[in-house]
């Protein structure tokens, strides 16, 4: 075959994924059709666009060699093809809670860890008064500093296990559902979450909480000015929380927003804009709308270059 050399080389690879696969369309489409689902291996090609199948055969001899090269993500089981994470979950779902918890720890499944710790704690103390949301929130609030904010991550780690184990999976939403007790906000740069008692004045450097289309695009540009090209999930995670919420609620994902700016952003590997689709975003140029509204030389702060003054921080609330 014309691509025999490429196929021979790829046979030796067993860790390809959405961002480094020579078949990004195939990978994304296979993620789509196997989402929480196992498909008949003999019929999988009928579920994929023709170009996705053609892309696979340009690089691999057959499906087994493709699956072997992408074994961290896909696998065959009993004549079906599914996602590795779903297969692993099937194997562990009937195990004791303690074994499920260990599995979740090993896989870095943080939300699952919280859910299992809560289940185990409830199993141990089914009549615990802290199972009432209001009681838990009031008990947690007692551990907040009296007159300043603290990193949310640090605060959670310092809480007694009898409290933190009872937190629901979406613990941020839980805290934000009690505005009379807590203020949760991003401080100085995205994802740097702080928490403080309700009623205290917010510190300088709090990141704005609401965004319109142009301000979200400005955030995307700032991130991509540091790393010109990023995986879509990484890019999304580096946006401020308010910007992420706006993208999800209004555009159902970054794809639909950035597709409005085809001259400024290139999306490689995106097919249908599904929110869970993985693709690569590259900044080509700053949208003309932003030229007059932002300093194009400003770069997004990261963990290694936190500004020393909130007034110099392009993320802070205005």
């Amino acid at each position: 075959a014309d691509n025999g050399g490429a196929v021979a080389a790829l046979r030796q690879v067993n860790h390809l994924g959405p961002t480094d696969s020579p078949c990004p369309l195939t990978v994304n489409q296979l993620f789509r059709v196997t989402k929480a689902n196992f498909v008949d291996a003999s019929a999988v090609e009928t579920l994929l666009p023709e170009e996705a199948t053609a892309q696979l055969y340009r690089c691999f001899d057959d499906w087994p060699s493709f699956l072997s090269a992408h074994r961290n993500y896909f696998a065959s089981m009993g004549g079906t093809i599914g996602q590795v994470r779903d297969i692993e979950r099937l194997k562990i779902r009937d195990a004791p809670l303690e074994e499920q918890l260990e599995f979740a720890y090993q896989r870095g499944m943080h939300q699952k860890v919280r859910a299992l710790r809560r289940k185990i704690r409830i199993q141990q103390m089914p009549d615990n008064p802290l199972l009432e949301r209001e009681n838990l929130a009031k008990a947690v609030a007692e551990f907040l500093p009296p007159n300043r904010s603290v990193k949310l991550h640090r605060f959670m780690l310092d809480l007694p296990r009898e409290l933190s184990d009872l937190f629901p999976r979406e613990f941020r939403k839980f805290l934000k559902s009690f505005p009379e007790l807590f203020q949760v906000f991003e401080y100085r740069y995205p994802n740097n979450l702080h928490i403080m008692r309700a009623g205290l004045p917010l510190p300088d450097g709090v990141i704005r909480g609401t965004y319109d289309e142009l301000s979200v695009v400005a955030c995307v540009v700032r991130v991509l000015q540091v790393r010109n090209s990023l995986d879509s999930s990484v890019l999304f995670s580096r946006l401020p929380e308010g910007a992420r919420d706006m993208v999800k609620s209004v555009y159902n994902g970054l794809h639909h927003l950035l597709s409005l700016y085809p001259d400024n952003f290139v999306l490689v590997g995106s097919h249908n804009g599904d929110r869970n689709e993985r693709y690569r975003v590259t900044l080509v140029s700053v949208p003309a709308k932003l030229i007059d509204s932002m300093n194009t030389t400003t770069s997004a702060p990261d963990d290694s270059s936190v500004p020393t003054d909130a007034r110099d921080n392009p993320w802070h609330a205005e």
Side-chain angles (χ1 to χ4, degrees):
D2 292 339
N3 64 345
V7 170
L10 285 169
R11 282 201 192 101
Q12 310 305 316
V13 179
N14 60 13
H15 52 74
L16 294 176
T19 60
D20 55 8
S21 172
C23 311
L25 178 59
T26 312
V27 171
N28 274 325
Q29 288 302 302
L30 194 56
F31 270 124
R32 178 181 62 83
V33 300
T34 59
K35 182 180 178 181
N37 183 39
F38 295 92
V39 299
D40 187 337
S42 64
V44 63
E45 291 184 14
T46 65
L47 304 174
L48 302 177
E50 289 184 9
E51 176 55 28
T53 302
Q55 192 178 76
L56 181 148
Y57 286 115
R58 283 197 292 268
C59 297
F60 297 93
D61 283 335
D62 48 31
W63 276 94
S65 57
F66 170 85
L67 293 175
S68 177
H70 298 79
R71 66 180 61 179
N72 288 344
Y73 296 91
F74 304 108
S76 58
M77 183 180 70
T80 65
I81 294 175
Q83 296 183 29
V84 168
R85 60 184 180 183
D86 292 330
I87 294 173
E88 291 178 337
R89 287 168 184 166
L90 274 178
K91 293 177 180 177
I92 198 69
R93 68 180 181 182
D94 295 325
L97 291 178
E98 289 75 12
E99 289 185 24
Q100 293 184 43
L101 180 61
E102 181 61 28
F103 173 83
Y105 270 124
Q106 293 174 356
R107 297 299 187 278
M109 302 162 65
H110 304 299
Q111 287 192 343
K112 187 68 173 178
V113 165
R114 284 193 289 272
L116 287 168
R117 281 169 51 179
R118 177 178 168 84
K119 282 185 178 181
I120 292 171
R121 185 70 67 170
I122 292 173
Q123 194 176 69
Q124 294 170 343
M125 298 183 63
D127 298 324
N128 191 338
L130 292 176
L131 292 176
E132 293 290 334
R133 289 170 56 88
E134 292 76 10
N135 292 341
L136 178 61
K138 290 176 182 177
V140 169
E142 292 297 318
F143 287 86
L144 283 170
N147 54 12
R148 62 180 176 85
S149 70
V150 63
K151 276 181 174 286
L152 179 58
H153 179 68
R154 182 76 261 168
F155 177 70
M156 293 292 292
L157 289 177
D158 290 342
L159 280 176
R161 284 290 296 270
E162 57 265 27
L163 292 181
S164 60
D165 281 358
L166 292 176
F167 266 57
R169 179 180 295 190
E170 296 288 346
F171 70 93
R172 294 185 197 176
K173 290 183 179 179
F174 169 76
L175 294 170
K176 290 183 177 182
S177 68
F178 291 94
E180 70 277 13
L181 295 174
F182 309 107
Q183 297 182 84
V184 180
F185 51 89
E186 287 178 302
Y187 180 58
R188 299 179 75 82
Y189 55 96
N191 298 313
N192 181 34
L193 287 168
H194 275 229
I195 185 171
M196 66 189 301
R197 292 178 181 271
L200 294 176
L202 291 172
D204 292 337
V206 173
I207 296 179
R208 65 195 299 177
T210 58
Y211 291 78
D212 57 17
E213 177 185 310
L214 198 58
S215 58
V216 173
V217 173
C219 291
V220 172
V221 168
R222 284 168 178 159
V223 174
L224 290 177
Q225 284 179 327
V226 177
R227 297 283 188 274
N228 182 256
S229 181
L230 280 176
D231 177 84
S232 57
S233 62
V234 175
L235 171 59
F236 187 73
S237 71
R238 294 186 182 180
L239 299 179
E241 187 174 39
R244 296 197 301 269
D245 290 342
M246 190 270 193
V247 168
K248 287 189 288 188
S249 62
V250 178
Y251 296 97
N252 194 35
L254 268 179
H255 174 279
H256 297 292
L257 170 61
L258 299 184
S259 294
L260 300 175
Y261 299 85
D263 296 331
N264 308 109
F265 302 98
V266 174
L267 281 57
V268 177
S270 178
H271 180 69
N272 61 4
D274 183 270
R275 183 186 291 185
N276 297 313
E277 186 180 50
R278 299 280 293 274
Y279 49 92
R280 198 156 192 88
V281 181
T282 300
L283 175 66
V284 177
S285 62
V286 177
K289 294 179 182 179
L290 291 179
I291 298 297
D292 296 329
S293 62
M294 68 174 287
N295 181 351
T296 58
T297 62
T298 301
S299 61
D302 57 26
D303 291 344
S304 63
S305 60
V306 180
T308 56
D309 191 299
R311 290 171 298 178
D312 299 326
N313 188 341
W315 302 105
H316 80 93
E318 297 176 355

